[in-house]
Amino acid sequence: MITISLCMIVKNEEKVLARCLNSVADLVDEVIVVDTGSTDRTKEIAAGYTKAVYDFEWIDDFAAARNFAFSKASMEYVYSADADEVLSEENRERFRRLKETLLPEIEIVQMKYGNQLQFGTVYNYDEEYRPKLFKRKRDFVWEEPIHETVRLLPVVFDSDIVITHMPEQNHAGRDLQAFHRQTERGVRLSKRLHNMYAKELFLAGSADDFAQARAFFRQSAADVERSADEVKESCLVSARAARLAGDEVDFFKYVSKVIAEEGCSEACCELGSFYEQREDYDEAVIWYYNAVYETTPVLRKASGDVDSLEGLIRCYEALHMEQESAIYREELAHKTEALG
């Protein structure tokens, strides 16, 4: 049986921390809690489960805090959890079985992260795999009988464990402000963070969030070192920001760049919204239809179904075309039912 260190970084989690620890603490061999500046009872609650409670001065860097927590681990594997996660009884049993049977060559265990769509996170799917359990010290192994080489890729196992995500509030505002602070300092976002910033804006960003992000993404759209995908993301954010700001010239500049390349649901949905706002419902219908049936989304899955179907319904109702609006209301109902 393997041994496991549970590592967490927390701040002001008094409402949910006990719930999380009650579901997992007895399954691990060590609990490590790193506090990044709580002003509530978080540290007091954590102390009821472990003596390994540490302070970490917040430097606007989640990775640095997690690395500090991992540095305190002493078991064979490290399980990384957030305070708003919960393991059901069924998944506690799956975790217990995993601990008893995990093969020593496995270096990363992925678990399904569930219940995401309910809270408007940066993920477009309700359930997807995430790496959660990590071998603390990696063994390097030679392989291949001829032209032998050291195996560099980790051995990953996709488990059947489902972690229920149950936040008390949406963290999008916090994350978007963190992105804004990074870009204000001139930090160059990696391709992954560039994508996540754009996604989070489209999933949960307010008009103010788009206004704050506008300068960064306009600059990124002109950056010759950015990939084609990053340029498309930048143009989409820039187009939305311009539409919200009432800047028609900039709006058409950036949305046209996307349409000229390969188009996507988000660009069509933006054009639908633009014409709907101007009460040109016939034109809006064309673009909403294209968003649903002729293109695919790249940042916000709902732009290719729910958002644009709702747009079609509004436009047909405004045109007093009840038969058409009924067709799309029925399709929207099927989509909503499928999403649970």
Side-chain angles (χ1 to χ4, degrees), residues 110-121:
Q110 296 205 120
M111 301 177 187
K112 291 179 180 179
Y113 211 64
N115 205 36
Q116 298 181 127
L117 295 179
Q118 183 178 345
F119 298 98
T121 63

Side-chain angles (χ1 to χ4, degrees), residues 52-227:
V53 180
Y54 300 91
D55 290 310
F56 181 82
E57 184 177 351
W58 183 241
I59 55 173
D60 213 19
D61 189 330
F62 286 97
R66 291 201 188 277
N67 286 333
F68 177 78
F70 273 37
S71 74
K72 300 299 181 181
S74 61
M75 300 298 157
E76 297 170 279
Y77 285 80
V78 179
Y79 177 60
S80 179
D82 291 328
D84 55 11
E85 299 174 4
V86 180
L87 283 175
S88 67
E89 196 55 47
E90 177 184 6
N91 287 289
R92 279 171 46 80
E93 183 56 34
R94 289 173 176 169
F95 195 107
R96 191 176 290 110
R97 289 199 304 268
L98 176 77
K99 185 177 179 182
E100 292 172 352
T101 60
L102 189 67
L103 297 175
E105 59 265 31
I106 301 297
E107 293 166 322
I108 297 175
V109 176
Q110 296 205 120
M111 301 177 187
K112 291 179 180 179
Y113 211 64
N115 205 36
Q116 298 181 127
L117 295 179
Q118 183 178 345
F119 298 98
T121 63
V122 295
Y123 300 92
N124 282 304
Y125 301 94
D126 201 43
E127 189 175 277
E128 65 182 357
Y129 274 116
R130 289 191 189 181
K132 295 295 290 183
L133 185 68
F134 307 87
K135 196 165 190 179
R136 190 170 65 86
K137 291 186 177 180
R138 185 177 183 191
D139 299 319
F140 287 97
V141 177
W142 288 89
E143 57 186 10
E144 305 293 359
I146 304 170
H147 297 301
E148 69 282 359
T149 185
V150 172
R151 175 172 49 78
L152 300 178
L153 295 176
V155 180
V156 180
F157 172 66
D158 292 341
S159 74
D160 60 354
I161 298 170
V162 180
I163 299 164
T164 304
H165 186 212
M166 299 177 64
E168 288 289 302
Q169 59 184 353
N170 189 312
H171 296 305
R174 177 201 67 186
D175 293 345
L176 288 169
Q177 286 305 304
F179 276 123
H180 180 58
R181 288 193 296 271
Q182 293 289 321
T183 57
E184 281 283 281
R185 294 176 193 151
V187 174
R188 183 178 178 81
L189 298 184
S190 67
K191 184 175 182 179
R192 172 177 170 271
L193 286 183
H194 191 281
N195 173 260
M196 293 192 76
Y197 191 9
K199 272 186 178 177
E200 192 143 10
L201 282 164
F202 266 83
L203 286 163
S206 66
D208 287 342
D209 292 323
F210 274 93
Q212 286 186 332
R214 188 177 180 184
F216 168 75
F217 281 102
R218 288 180 69 183
Q219 182 180 27
S220 185
D223 188 341
V224 295
E225 295 184 5
R226 289 289 184 186
S227 68

Side-chain angles (χ1 to χ4, degrees), residues 156-325:
V156 180
F157 172 66
D158 292 341
S159 74
D160 60 354
I161 298 170
V162 180
I163 299 164
T164 304
H165 186 212
M166 299 177 64
E168 288 289 302
Q169 59 184 353
N170 189 312
H171 296 305
R174 177 201 67 186
D175 293 345
L176 288 169
Q177 286 305 304
F179 276 123
H180 180 58
R181 288 193 296 271
Q182 293 289 321
T183 57
E184 281 283 281
R185 294 176 193 151
V187 174
R188 183 178 178 81
L189 298 184
S190 67
K191 184 175 182 179
R192 172 177 170 271
L193 286 183
H194 191 281
N195 173 260
M196 293 192 76
Y197 191 9
K199 272 186 178 177
E200 192 143 10
L201 282 164
F202 266 83
L203 286 163
S206 66
D208 287 342
D209 292 323
F210 274 93
Q212 286 186 332
R214 188 177 180 184
F216 168 75
F217 281 102
R218 288 180 69 183
Q219 182 180 27
S220 185
D223 188 341
V224 295
E225 295 184 5
R226 289 289 184 186
S227 68
D229 288 341
E230 290 169 293
V231 171
K232 176 179 277 191
E233 293 161 5
S234 299
C235 288
L236 288 170
V237 173
S238 298
R240 167 73 70 87
R243 180 174 66 79
L244 293 173
D247 185 342
E248 293 186 19
V249 173
D250 244 25
F251 172 73
F252 279 105
K253 172 184 176 178
Y254 289 106
V255 80
S256 296
K257 288 179 184 291
V258 179
I259 296 295
E261 286 298 321
E262 193 182 347
C264 61
S265 298
E266 289 87 351
C268 293
C269 194
E270 283 300 307
L271 284 160
S273 296
F274 176 85
Y275 287 111
E276 184 186 357
Q277 287 171 351
R278 282 149 186 78
E279 299 184 1
D280 187 347
Y281 300 116
D282 289 311
E283 188 69 20
V285 160
I286 294 171
W287 290 107
Y288 282 136
Y289 182 92
N290 275 275
V292 179
Y293 301 107
E294 302 297 336
T295 53
T296 56
V298 295
L299 295 173
R300 177 180 170 88
K301 182 176 180 291
S303 65
D305 46 51
V306 173
D307 292 350
S308 295
L309 287 170
E310 289 177 343
L312 284 168
I313 294 166
R314 290 193 304 270
C315 289
Y316 278 122
E317 287 178 345
L319 291 167
H320 306 292
M321 299 174 69
E322 290 303 320
Q323 185 174 351
E324 285 78 3
S325 65

